[in-house]
Amino acid sequence: MRFLVAFLFAFRLVQICSASALTLWYLQPARSGMNEALAIGNGHMGGLLFGAPDLEHVNITEDGFWTGGENPSGQDGTMGNYQTFGDAAVLLPAHTNAVNYRRELDIGTALSRVSYEAGGVKYQREFFCSHPAGVLVARFSADKPGSYTGQIELRDSHGASTVVWTNRLTAAGVLDNGLKYEWQIVVVPEGGSVESNGTSLAFSRCDGLTLLIAAGTDYAMDYTNHYRGQDPHKRLTALLKAASEKSYDALEQEHEADFWSLFDRVTLDLGPSSAAQRGLPTDQRHLEAFQKIDPELERLLFQYGRYLLISCSRPGGLPANLQGLWNDRNDPPWHSDYHANINVEMNYWPAEPTALPECQLPFFDLIDSQLPAWRKATAASPEFKTPSGEMSARGFAIRTSHNIYGGMGWKWDKTANAWYCRHFWEHYDFTRDKDFLRNTAYPIMKETCEFWEDHLETLPDGRLVVPKGWSPEHGPTEDGVSYNQEIVWDLFDNYVRAADALGIDGEYRDKIAAMRDKLLAPGIGSWGQLLEWRTEKTNSEPGRLELDTRDDHHRHTSHLFAVYPGHQITPATTPALAAAAKVSLDARGISPDSDVREWSFAWRTALYARLGDGDDAHKMLQQLFSGRNTCPNLFGLHPPMQMDGNFGITAGIAEMLVQSQDGEIQLLPALPTVWPEGSVKGLRARGGFEVDESWKEGKLAGASIRATAPTTARVRYGAKTVDFSVAPGKPVTLDGSLKRTGE
Ligand code: FUC
């Protein structure tokens, strides 16, 4: 038994030491929520932590808390907004003139802490948001007894009054759309006393306090019941009862065990930073890293995307929206909604390659729950008359924005339906979960193929085009836009592979394969660029960006979808188109006074990686550290704050290290010269593979390939390839020349 305790202690020590390098830390409290506060979440409920000594406030959100409804008009202004519950406030009037202040978020353990000294007392706060317990936990402790006197308020953002009962504060209400919501704070004192003082709880001379917070609504991902389920009261009360019957340590241990079961699947080492860099608070450090490479901060940025995805997207909940899970206002930018023309897809780019496949399930669940409303809206829209003039009868289309009630807003994004299908296919391709493919992915992929079978138009030369498409958010609406063509190609190609994997629908599979091969492919323009539209533009929209010229620095690189996330254009299989894509990508540029945004850099990191250019990929990554593209809390900054870049850069870094879109596992396909040595463990590759690799002096030092089922693998490093069989539990290890070792 003693050995086990010693081992666990040592293990925890190692975790804390390695985790400490994965810590965001600051020497002052947060002033603004979305830009400075530190985020914790359990996939459903989230907290933003501000950390002021005399007033801790925890902004609370929960993923189903939306106004709006099915919004049949499709008007952007009537689709509703993601809401915030408001703030749990802990007022500590005596905690002024604090010294030795530090606030931190340790993403290796998903714990946030605040420490300071005031009046000769050392104070500590610790916060986490537990997935297993379903509550947010905040613990206040001190090195002297009786040091906590103050009050706790529940500040509801919709003005609901607080009901106070012994050690519990509750606020509940109903939004204009009929959604019921409730949140509760239970206070567990250590010593001292807690009593009601009308609409808040007063505590006096406590040695410490633990707050347990739960929040929820009666939202349900169920169209047939108008997206309503059970009143949240009983569920929240039960969660808090169960949590209050556990010790703080027990709650923390079960939280950390749950978090580590996902987070610890992938470790990354990009080499050492300097002691000077490690000694900088994060709000200063990231600005320096924009100028001078900081490998440990780049590693933290990679793991931050995984931390945020685990914290805001867990099975049973709703997917990450434009702000992930967090939101401190009831009229957030772009509704804090799901944008279908790059943003929500980017949120999920890291899920499969960085070993978080279950974090993508909420995206599939939401899509599935919205389909009845989306089909209805599409069938009713004159925008989707078929070439023969019929109203759309099969499948669905999506507008650029959507909420959680089947409601959509702004312009239709013609091929977002096919882009969403790519995520279902990728989940299968990485996990090789045949049941998921058969029961979940294949039906929506086939339905969307049928939609495009009905809607594609045929040019006189027999090539197929998407009619009246648009390259998001600039340029004309016209037939044969590259973005639209590439996404439908991707859908058809993935559908063919899905039908082959299941061995079904051979006749329809052949029909779609033939249509795929007839799709108009993107062309190459006069200055060697990949054409964004069917014909090269020689004019520019009055007052807007140049189109199709070297001065077109638009934030979107939609015409490069086929390079990433798609796989139609690769240096190996389509060298001319890949070279043209590079010309277009280089032309988009990185000038801060252009239209480029934080998520643009994430996408461009992945694009350069796919084109085998590690140094330019790293150059894009480094842009993210500038104060123009990243907030002090390392959230992406559009502006305003937006989270897709946080997820996208994690995927982009993974793409620099391992790729698998060409039917083989490519090791170090885009290693930048600024990462001369390092290692990564646990990345996933299509085909059900897990990949470890290390490198020294910029060259592969070794790799280990594991499989979740018996299969064969082809591994590539540079011009060399090796083929071998892999079985579960029998990893294949290779040296830097791809020679098998350890046999
Ligand atoms: C798309 C982008 C914008 C922004 C918005 C949320 O419209 O073009 O830059 O990211 O989504």
Side-chain angles (χ1 to χ4, degrees):
M1 183 56 184
R2 273 184 303 168
F3 169 77
L4 179 62
V5 169
F7 170 77
L8 286 174
F9 176 76
F11 180 72
R12 182 86 175 91
L13 201 61
V14 165
Q15 294 238 324
I16 289 171
C17 295
S18 61
S20 66
L22 290 174
T23 299
L24 293 80
W25 60 277
Y26 306 84
L27 298 178
Q28 69 286 334
R31 293 177 307 270
S32 93
M34 301 315 287
N35 293 22
E36 294 181 18
L38 294 175
I40 57 175
N42 65 9
H44 306 265
M45 172 185 162
L48 284 172
L49 310 168
F50 287 70
D54 59 345
L55 168 61
E56 177 58 78
H57 77 252
V58 180
N59 172 268
I60 297 290
T61 49
E62 195 265 2
D63 56 12
F65 200 29
W66 268 83
T67 56
E70 194 164 341
N71 199 39
S73 73
Q75 293 299 313
D76 189 53
T78 53
M79 62 171 273
N81 287 299
Y82 186 43
Q83 300 294 287
T84 181
F85 274 80
D87 290 341
V90 183
L91 288 77
L92 296 162
H95 295 204
T96 51
N97 305 317
V99 295
N100 298 332
Y101 178 92
R102 178 182 166 110
R103 171 171 68 96
E104 69 177 40
L105 171 65
D106 179 347
I107 66 171
T109 59
L111 288 173
S112 184
R113 294 183 188 88
V114 176
S115 56
Y116 57 88
E117 292 177 35
V121 180
K122 287 190 172 66
Y123 292 96
Q124 166 104 356
R125 299 171 197 172
E126 193 168 74
F127 306 84
F128 59 90
C129 199
S130 169
H131 181 71
V135 299
L136 188 146
V137 184
R139 179 144 186 256
F140 294 71
S141 57
D143 68 351
K144 288 189 174 60
S147 299
Y148 280 100
T149 296
Q151 70 181 36
I152 299 167
E153 297 172 354
L154 192 158
R155 299 175 176 174
D156 184 83
S157 79
H158 293 86
S161 54
T162 303
V163 175
V164 186
W165 184 66
T166 60
N167 66 334
R168 183 190 303 261
L169 299 172
T170 300
V174 182
L175 297 182
D176 293 348
N177 62 358
L179 188 79
K180 292 177 184 165
Y181 72 92
E182 179 170 327
W183 53 318
Q184 300 182 24
I185 305 175
V186 167
V187 180
V188 182
E190 295 157 48
S193 66
V194 174
E195 57 194 17
S196 164
N197 66 351
T199 57
S200 62
L201 282 174
F203 52 90
S204 170
R205 302 190 56 70
C206 296
D207 304 337
L209 291 170
T210 297
L211 272 59
L212 304 169
I213 305 175
T217 72
D218 67 343
Y219 176 80
M221 274 191 253
D222 177 0
Y223 177 76
T224 58
N225 200 30
H226 308 291
Y227 300 103
R228 295 292 184 276
Q230 298 297 313
D231 181 297
H233 176 72
K234 282 188 181 157
R235 177 171 58 83
L236 301 180
T237 304
L239 286 174
L240 288 164
K241 180 175 183 300
S244 57
E245 289 165 356
K246 290 180 181 170
S247 71
Y248 177 82
D249 288 345
L251 285 169
E252 182 181 341
Q253 282 159 23
E254 76 174 9
H255 154 70
E256 286 186 359
D258 167 74
F259 175 76
W260 284 337
S261 70
L262 296 171
F263 186 77
D264 283 6
R265 292 173 184 167
V266 175
T267 59
L268 175 66
D269 173 6
L270 296 175
S273 296
S274 69
Q277 288 170 322
R278 290 176 188 150
L280 285 173
T282 306
D283 48 345
Q284 298 167 39
R285 183 169 180 180
H286 82 83
L287 298 174
E288 303 253 329
F290 173 48
Q291 306 293 344
K292 180 173 181 289
I293 178 158
D294 184 338
E296 289 173 8
L297 191 65
E298 294 176 357
R299 166 180 172 240
L300 187 146
L301 193 65
F302 169 82
Q303 292 289 24
Y304 196 42
R306 298 185 69 246
Y307 163 81
L308 291 169
L309 193 58
I310 295 167
S311 302
C312 70
S313 186
R314 297 290 294 270
L318 283 158
N321 60 42
L322 280 173
Q323 297 177 178
L325 174 62
W326 299 273
N327 176 35
D328 62 354
R329 49 189 281 197
N330 289 325
D331 60 344
W334 299 287
H335 321 284
S336 189
D337 65 23
Y338 299 100
H339 258 50
N341 66 6
I342 180 60
N343 314 86
V344 68
E345 292 96 340
M346 184 179 284
N347 285 358
Y348 286 95
W349 285 353
E352 305 301 335
T354 72
L356 299 173
E358 54 272 76
C359 292
Q360 182 149 223
L361 298 180
F363 188 28
F364 305 139
D365 292 344
L366 176 67
I367 292 167
D368 188 54
S369 74
Q370 307 297 290
L371 285 180
W374 291 349
R375 290 183 186 117
K376 195 165 81 175
T378 305
S381 170
E383 183 110 13
F384 292 100
K385 283 189 174 176
T386 64
S388 57
E390 308 293 319
M391 294 300 276
S392 186
R394 300 193 295 178
F396 64 97
I398 319 173
R399 288 180 183 271
T400 302
S401 296
H402 62 84
N403 62 24
I404 60 172
Y405 302 116
M408 299 185 274
W410 209 52
K411 295 173 184 269
W412 290 98
D413 184 290
K414 290 284 177 76
T415 47
N417 53 13
W419 196 345
Y420 276 19
C421 284
R422 130 163 291 276
H423 285 258
F424 288 82
W425 166 254
E426 288 274 272
H427 184 74
Y428 164 72
D429 207 13
F430 275 89
T431 62
R432 290 302 163 95
D433 175 346
K434 274 281 181 65
D435 289 339
F436 175 85
L437 178 63
R438 182 177 298 104
N439 304 325
T440 307
Y442 188 84
I444 190 171
M445 292 172 76
K446 183 170 183 183
E447 177 182 3
T448 308
C449 286
E450 290 166 343
F451 175 92
W452 284 109
E453 187 189 351
D454 295 345
H455 287 276
L456 287 174
E457 292 193 359
T458 306
L459 296 177
D461 64 4
R463 287 179 299 172
L464 298 175
V465 291
V466 171
K468 296 196 288 295
W470 190 42
S471 194
E473 308 198 11
H474 82 317
T477 295
E478 66 181 39
D479 299 352
V481 168
S482 296
Y483 165 81
N484 299 121
Q485 299 297 120
E486 292 167 13
I487 293 181
V488 174
W489 187 94
D490 190 71
L491 167 71
F492 286 177
D493 193 57
N494 293 337
Y495 170 75
V496 167
R497 292 193 283 169
D500 289 346
L502 295 172
I504 59 176
D505 283 350
E507 196 175 323
Y508 191 67
R509 172 258 185 238
D510 292 345
K511 180 173 187 176
I512 293 299
M515 290 179 72
R516 173 199 62 199
D517 297 342
K518 283 185 190 160
L519 280 166
L520 173 74
I524 297 175
S526 61
W527 43 281
Q529 84 281 23
L530 192 77
L531 286 179
E532 187 160 354
W533 296 273
R534 187 173 145 211
T535 54
E536 184 160 352
K537 304 297 170 220
T538 52
N539 63 329
S540 64
E541 290 172 282
R544 291 299 302 273
L545 298 161
E546 286 293 308
L547 297 181
D548 233 346
T549 72
R550 289 186 179 83
D551 297 326
D552 183 343
H553 303 303
H554 198 265
R555 61 188 180 279
H556 285 260
T557 45
S558 305
H559 51 321
L560 305 185
F561 170 96
V563 176
Y564 185 93
H567 62 278
Q568 182 183 10
I569 295 178
T570 79
T573 56
T574 57
L577 289 176
K582 177 81 161 49
V583 168
S584 292
L585 181 56
D586 290 344
R588 273 297 202 265
I590 60 172
S591 159
D593 59 11
S594 74
D595 186 55
V596 68
R597 304 291 167 169
E598 98 296 338
W599 56 261
S600 311
F601 292 115
W603 194 354
R604 296 177 194 185
T605 299
L607 286 166
Y608 275 117
R610 279 284 174 89
L611 294 170
D613 180 347
D615 288 337
D616 277 328
H618 184 270
K619 187 174 167 188
M620 298 300 110
L621 190 176
Q622 202 163 7
Q623 300 307 310
L624 282 174
F625 287 125
S626 99
R628 183 192 178 283
N629 302 316
T630 287
C631 302
N633 58 9
L634 299 190
F635 280 175
L637 182 64
H638 184 277
M641 172 270 166
Q642 197 174 287
M643 194 161 277
D644 40 18
N646 288 99
F647 303 119
I649 195 57
T650 295
I653 292 170
E655 213 61 29
M656 293 165 76
L657 298 173
V658 174
Q659 291 178 23
S660 57
Q661 69 282 5
D662 280 342
E664 55 190 23
I665 298 168
Q666 296 179 60
L667 302 176
L668 300 178
L671 185 70
T673 47
V674 291
W675 293 347
E677 64 181 66
S679 65
V680 62
K681 289 184 170 47
L683 288 183
R684 299 288 172 86
R686 293 170 186 80
F689 296 104
E690 290 176 22
V691 182
D692 301 349
E693 63 186 357
S694 61
W695 61 95
K696 281 192 176 58
E697 294 168 6
K699 299 239 183 300
L700 181 69
S704 169
I705 310 293
R706 295 179 295 283
T708 51
T711 183
T712 56
R714 164 164 294 184
V715 172
R716 172 180 295 279
Y717 175 56
K720 285 187 80 171
T721 61
V722 62
D723 296 310
F724 48 83
S725 300
V726 205
K730 294 182 180 171
V732 172
T733 53
L734 306 168
D735 66 13
S737 63
L738 297 189
K739 203 154 74 59
R740 292 190 63 160
T741 64
E743 292 234 47

